[in-house]
Structure formats: C-alpha cells, structure tokens
C-alpha cells in the first residue's frame, strides 16, 4: 500500500524516527529518486549460501502480489565467513536482506510512502507503528541535525591497521605471491579507525558526504540488533544493474586525483590513461567480469577502450559492460557470479582470497561487498568501497589498492589516503603521509598525519 506524502528529504525523514529500529538509505548513482526505509516486514539473514536461494524465492513470490517491492541489503566481502570475526560487524552477519515495513521514495518535488503488510501480520501493531511515524515537512535534515558540528565531538585518535611498516610487509608478501605465480593481482585494504570524544551522528555525516561526492552510490544500513552501528558510504563502482533480461556492469580500476587547475587535471587524466600498470590492473578486472558473465548471458558488449570515470576529487579507468541474460537467470545468480571481482579481491580469485584470509589483519565485514536491492526481474548493487562503519564514538574507514607487479608500498599507501579524503574532508580533517599507530595497530603518538580543517 502506498500514498503520496509531499516533498520530504529521506535523510530528514529517517532522522525524525526513533533511532533503535532497522533503517536503510539508498541513492543510486545518477538516479533522480532516493529511498529511505524504516522497520521490517520480513528479514532474511544468515550464511550467503542459505540466504541467496531464500531471497530468490521471496522475490519470485512478489511477482503477482507486489511487483514493485524490493528487498534491500548486502553481503560480507568474504562469503565463506558465516559469522563476523569482529564484534563491530556482528549485526551485519554474512548476508542480510530486508523487506521494509515502511519505504519512502522521494524525488525533487514529491515523495511516496509505502507500507508492506504480509499474511499473518498483526494489523493493530502495524497501524500503531504507522501512527508513530514522524513526517517532517523539512526538505533537508532538521536543524537539530544540522547544528551538530562534525568536528565536535572532537577527534581523539586515529589508528591505522596495518600501519606503514605492516603495510610495506604486506606489499612484500604480495610480490612474493607474484613471483611464486600464485596470483597476478591482489587487493590489499587498510582500516583507519577514528575515535571521537562523543558519539557520531551518522545521518549528518552521510548528508555531507553525499553533497561532497556527486556521481556515486550513497547508502547507509543500520539494524535493530545493534542500532549503534551504521555502515555507510559513497561508492563510485557499480556491480550490477539489471532490468528484465538486460544487465549492465563495469570494470573499474586505477586511480588518480583530480587537479585543481585545468592543466594539472588534464595531465593527471593523461597519466592515468597512459599508465601501463593501471591498464594492466584494469585488464584483470575486465577479463574476469567477462569470464563470469559468459555462462549466464547470450550476448556481451564491452567498451572498445577504457575511458575515464571522473568524480569530484578522483578519477578511475572504466570499461562499461552490457549483456543479455539467458532465460531463467536470477539476480542472485548474478551476485554469486560477479562477487568478488578482481577490483576488490584479486586474480585468480580463489588464490587472492586465500592470501587475504591468511594475511589481512582485520575483518572487512561488508566493506567491498555488494550492497543494494533486488526486485522482480530487477536489481541494482554497488560495490561497497569508500565506506565506513560508525559505531558509537568511533568511525572505522576502509579502503584498498590493487597490487600488481611494479606496485610500491609508499605510493599505494598514498593512494589509499587519497581515497579516504572524502570522509576526512567532511570531518574537517586532512590526510598526510605518516602513520599514528604501532606495528600491532595500537595508537601511539596521536594523529600526526591529520590536521584540523
């Protein structure tokens, strides 16, 4: 059931609700509509191998009763993990998808509020939840959210895992893997954990992040069993866009910053387009995606040449890929086929993932996993890079770099610092070259590579 509700910003709507229930936010890249959801009509959660078949069956059941409805959710980066390896990720489990109780879909001038009611639901309870919904008239976050200065609570410390020394050691281990011919590319990640003097305001953080990163997917996921934890991000990378039998994806790899001056910007663009290392890294991603899609498609097209994906502060190499699906292919089949791509794991995939399981000193959780939605013969998922986990007074930021022959530890460290700059910028912080943590990841001398903006 759905009704028009007039103009309202989805983040303002979410902020007005009680902050202890499940709440999700989704804004597709370049899409005019934004979605916020609150509460749960049905939830699927557990191991990836169990949840994906259940999700396919539930979506098929919507075909006759609610064909425009969607399940929203995501998967862990490493689907072989049946439980989180760190407490901060416990609520996100391996796979979790929600058919929301209430779903607000908003455009520039109007919004629609939908309510999902399932057979067997307690209608009195549903009506009580509906009566409790707040419907703010503001089209942006209300004043009490806007007035929270993101530099207050104040930053207390930053801890990098691994630190610079540990990072160099991991690069060296990856190069040994190339020499042993175990893999050709592996994506190493870092976690920068920021500790603040008081709890963070995740919706206000996302509001500012979205304004600073046009041309990206923007998302947030909070679950009722740990309402202090919100996973949010601004990802430039599409994993799947499915409409009927048509599917689109892309190979994205290689990174350079944008230049402040026109001449500098053009030089950095030409440097990326002409980089043998970056084009080789991009080629691994492109070829692996094509190999994964061939068994499930009748036709595949790919851009003849990699082009520039230009963002507000960064640029990447991108090749668009389009295909026609074979009969009977479900959106969950595409998830299983494409995730993880070499853009976030490596190639060959199994060898790269085995290396990461053995050597990565933290739990990626949903970082670099697929996040998005599934509907009837339709789906869209982003790769959850450029993301962070807010939990009480901490913000754990995650980012990675593709390592191939010729990679240099210092340059890859600097690339990740630049990828973290969108988050750091909206927090009023700037990134530098140092590392404020000991070899085991404990903060030592504060945050020498951060300056207050």
């Amino acid at each position: 059931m759905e009704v028009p509700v007039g103009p309202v910003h989805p983040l303002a709507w979410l902020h007005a609700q009680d902050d202890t229930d499940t709440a999700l936010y989704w804004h597709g890249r370049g899409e005019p509509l934004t979605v916020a959801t609150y509460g749960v009509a049905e939830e699927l959660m557990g191991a990836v191998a169990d949840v994906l078949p259940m999700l396919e069956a539930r979506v098929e059941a919507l075909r006759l009763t609610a064909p425009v409805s969607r399940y929203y959710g995501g998967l862990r980066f490493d689907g072989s993990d049946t439980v989180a390896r760190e407490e901060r990720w416990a609520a996100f489990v391996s796979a979790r998808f929600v058919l929301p109780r209430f779903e607000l879909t908003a455009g520039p001038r109007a919004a629609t509020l939908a309510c999902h009611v399932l057979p067997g639901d307690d209608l009195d309870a549903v009506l009580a939840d509906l009566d409790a919904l707040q419907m703010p008239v503001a089209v942006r976050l209300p004043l009490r959210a806007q007035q929270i200065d993101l530099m207050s609570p104040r930053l207390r410390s930053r801890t990098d895992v691994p630190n610079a020394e540990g990072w160099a050691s991991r690069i060296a281990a990856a190069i040994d893997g190339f020499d042993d011919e175990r893999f050709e590319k592996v994506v190493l990640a870092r976690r920068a954990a920021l500790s603040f003097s008081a709890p963070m305001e995740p919706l206000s953080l996302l509001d500012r992040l979205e304004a600073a990163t046009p041309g990206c997917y923007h998302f947030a996921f909070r679950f009722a069993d740990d309402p202090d934890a919100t996973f949010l991000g601004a990802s430039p990378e599409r994993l799947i866009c499915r409409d009927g039998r048509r599917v689109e994806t892309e190979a994205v790899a290689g990174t350079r910053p944008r230049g402040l001056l026109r001449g500098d910007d053009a030089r950095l663009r030409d440097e990326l387009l002409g980089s043998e290392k970056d084009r080789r890294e991009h080629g691994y991603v492109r070829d692996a995606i094509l190999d994964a899609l061939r068994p499930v498609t009748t036709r595949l097209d790919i851009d003849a040449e990699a082009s520039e994906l230009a963002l507000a502060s960064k640029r990447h190499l991108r090749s668009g890929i389009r295909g026609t699906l074979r009969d009977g292919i479900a959106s969950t089949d595409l998830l299983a086929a494409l995730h993880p791509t070499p853009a976030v794991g490596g190639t060959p995939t199994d060898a790269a993932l085995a290396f990461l399981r053995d050597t990565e000193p933290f739990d990626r959780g949903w970082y670099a996993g697929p996040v998005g939605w599934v509907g009837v013969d339709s789906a869209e998922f982003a790769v959850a890079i450029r993301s962070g986990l807010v939990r009480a007074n901490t913000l754990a930021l995650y980012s990675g770099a593709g390592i191939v022959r010729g990679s240099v530890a210092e340059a890859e460290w600097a690339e990740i610092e630049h990828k973290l700059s969108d988050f750091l910028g909206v927090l009023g912080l700037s990134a530098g070259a140092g590392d404020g943590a000991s070899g085991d990841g404990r903060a030592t001398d504060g945050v020498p590579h951060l300056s207050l903006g």
Side-chain angles (χ1 to χ4, degrees), residues 312-337:
S313 63
K314 303 170 186 63
R315 52 168 44 94
H316 307 282
L317 289 176
R318 177 190 182 275
S319 292
I321 300 170
R322 299 155 295 279
T324 301
L325 295 173
R326 297 182 184 276
D327 289 338
I329 298 300
S331 299
T332 52
D333 296 328
L334 293 173
L335 272 181

Side-chain angles (χ1 to χ4, degrees), residues 90-109:
F92 293 82
V93 298
S94 283
R96 192 162 189 168
F97 285 86
V98 170
L99 179 69
R101 177 66 76 196
F102 302 108
E103 182 174 356
L104 182 80
T105 302
R109 295 180 179 85

Side-chain angles (χ1 to χ4, degrees), residues 74-96:
L75 311 178
R76 284 178 59 84
F77 166 73
D78 189 347
S80 68
D81 288 337
T82 56
V83 295
R85 290 185 281 118
E86 293 179 359
E87 177 62 26
R88 72 182 76 206
W89 287 111
F92 293 82
V93 298
S94 283
R96 192 162 189 168

